[in-house]
Amino acid sequence: MREATARGRRERDGRGDETDEEYSSRRAGEVRLVRLKTTGEIFAMKKLKKSEMVRRGQVDHVKAERNLLAEVNSRTVVTLYYSFQDDQFLYLVMEYLPGGDVMTLLIRRDTLTEEETRFYLAQTITALETIHRHNFIHRDIKPDNLLLDKDGHMKLSDFGLCKPIDPAYQKAVLPEILENEAMSKSDADATAMSKTEADQKRAEDLANWQKNRRRLAFSTVGTPDYIAPEVLLKKGYGMECDWWSVGAIMFEMLMGYAPFYSDEPMTTCRKIVHWRHHLRIPDDAPISSEARDLIERLLCDADQRLGTSGGVQEIKSHAFFKGLNWDTLYTVTPPYRPVVSHDLDTRNFEEFEEDESMRKKSGLTDAEQSKDSNFIGYTYKNVEVVGEEVKKVNPSRPSLTTIFPTSR
């Protein structure tokens, strides 16, 4: 197992924090560990490049993420403490969860037991219930967005694709896929193969996917493995698209691979849209009939999916969760406890190389300076420092939509 190692660079950001270590990075943004100078408290700071957000047409997504984090106060969702900006970057200062993400857990373990799957699936469902209650859809539920605290409890993070429930926002930065689009040549070839040849090809594809899954997840395009078909088809969708993602994650937890895996994102998208041809749970899979039934009732057409008509309670009452106490999920001991030895321990996160494009540049052009108008009202503060104690300013977090609406 590869462990992230501390670099201890302690770069100053000029706003009362010291940068201790970078533990996640993408071209449009990165996440660093930072320390509050006055108290020594550790936070995770997400840094987004303004010019990239504008270029990619993701200004509304950035606003929606910040609005949701500022509005939702729940133990199921990562806590936002501050948001601010300078002339080039946006910053979100959040709690640091040192247990890593569920993707790392799956890479190390391959599969989870049904007990572990039941627990983390239940915490994911509870987190989604929370954001749905605040009229947001996540749209990007995947193992690397499920973070673990030092005790092993899970919290939902990364709301960069979340959206308010409003038809005006049914536009995503996703590939255009047509429902009646023909399957790719490779899919057609696989269909024409004998069972032995098809099984061999699937085994080879799976081995390649497992080898490259972390690279795929953190590529510029990202991975669409868990996105619902109705989102890809842009047919109009609601909260039920998140329940498809839960089904895909459950499949991977129990089977050791994503249900529509591929090295090529567009191939994955086509497989999801044509899910009836590609969703296969082996007859000899070592899972219970209840687990199999729940997967099949989540990975299906939206109008037939659990949670579409009966809401979250329809999922909670499924036989797979029989005997589970939903009220004590965050007070009981989790079935898995990550190894965390100190406050700055990052062994549960992947190490990334420095991205020079994420450093501040001097001499902005007029066009770059004008982008600030896209992010008016981004600043937020949820705590104040009293002596050596960090206190919440507004624990109830009323809705911010009246003072910082997402533009239509």
Side-chain angles (χ1 to χ4, degrees), residues 102-314:
V102 172
M103 175 186 276
T104 299
L105 177 59
L106 288 172
I107 288 175
R108 292 175 178 176
R109 294 272 302 276
D110 284 336
T111 62
L112 303 185
T113 66
E114 286 206 11
E115 177 192 5
E116 292 167 332
T117 299
R118 182 178 297 108
F119 182 82
Y120 286 117
L121 216 62
Q123 290 200 328
T124 302
I125 290 167
T126 303
L128 285 171
E129 181 182 15
T130 298
I131 69 168
H132 288 175
R133 192 182 302 123
H134 286 265
N135 292 317
F136 283 90
I137 307 172
H138 193 287
R139 297 196 301 177
D140 196 28
I141 304 296
K142 52 190 176 185
D144 36 324
N145 288 344
L146 307 178
L147 301 184
L148 304 178
D149 67 15
K150 61 182 178 61
D151 298 316
H153 285 289
M154 190 279 297
K155 293 193 178 188
L156 188 57
S157 71
D158 196 347
F159 299 89
L161 272 182
C162 80
K163 76 174 194 68
I165 299 173
D166 186 324
Y169 294 99
Q170 299 282 18
K171 296 179 180 179
V173 183
L174 295 166
E176 187 71 35
I177 304 290
L178 301 178
E179 190 168 16
N180 58 358
E181 181 180 27
M183 290 187 289
S184 66
K185 184 179 184 298
S186 60
D187 291 339
D189 289 345
T191 303
M193 290 178 182
S194 67
K195 184 179 185 304
T196 302
E197 292 172 329
D199 288 345
Q200 183 178 353
K201 184 179 186 303
R202 276 194 292 270
E204 292 172 354
D205 290 345
L206 174 58
N208 197 44
W209 176 83
Q210 289 176 325
K211 178 183 177 181
N212 296 304
R213 66 188 304 196
R214 178 67 76 174
R215 175 185 60 78
L216 290 167
F218 286 94
S219 67
T220 304
V221 177
T223 173
D225 280 300
Y226 315 94
I227 297 177
E230 62 268 23
V231 177
L232 293 173
L233 291 168
K234 304 182 182 180
K235 296 170 63 175
Y237 50 87
M239 298 174 183
E240 67 279 355
C241 72
D242 285 338
W243 303 133
W244 169 283
S245 303
V246 170
I249 291 171
M250 179 182 181
F251 183 105
E252 183 172 351
M253 286 178 169
L254 295 173
M255 304 301 297
Y257 55 91
F260 308 102
Y261 64 86
S262 173
D263 276 351
E264 297 296 330
M266 282 300 294
T267 300
T268 297
C269 290
R270 292 188 182 97
K271 285 184 174 183
I272 292 171
V273 169
H274 299 285
W275 63 268
R276 289 180 184 83
H277 299 285
H278 297 281
L279 179 61
R280 297 288 183 270
I281 304 177
D283 293 336
D284 59 351
I287 63 175
S288 66
S289 58
E290 292 82 5
R292 181 185 295 267
D293 182 73
L294 181 55
I295 290 172
E296 291 175 345
R297 298 184 68 183
L298 292 174
L299 297 180
C300 60
D301 287 332
D303 58 349
Q304 300 295 317
R305 195 174 303 152
L306 280 183
T308 297
S309 57
V312 67
Q313 197 56 43
E314 195 173 35

Side-chain angles (χ1 to χ4, degrees), residues 302-330:
D303 58 349
Q304 300 295 317
R305 195 174 303 152
L306 280 183
T308 297
S309 57
V312 67
Q313 197 56 43
E314 195 173 35
I315 302 174
K316 287 183 172 182
S317 60
H318 189 275
F320 181 72
F321 297 111
K322 184 178 180 180
L324 181 73
N325 188 336
W326 292 86
D327 296 326
T328 61
L329 279 176
Y330 283 85

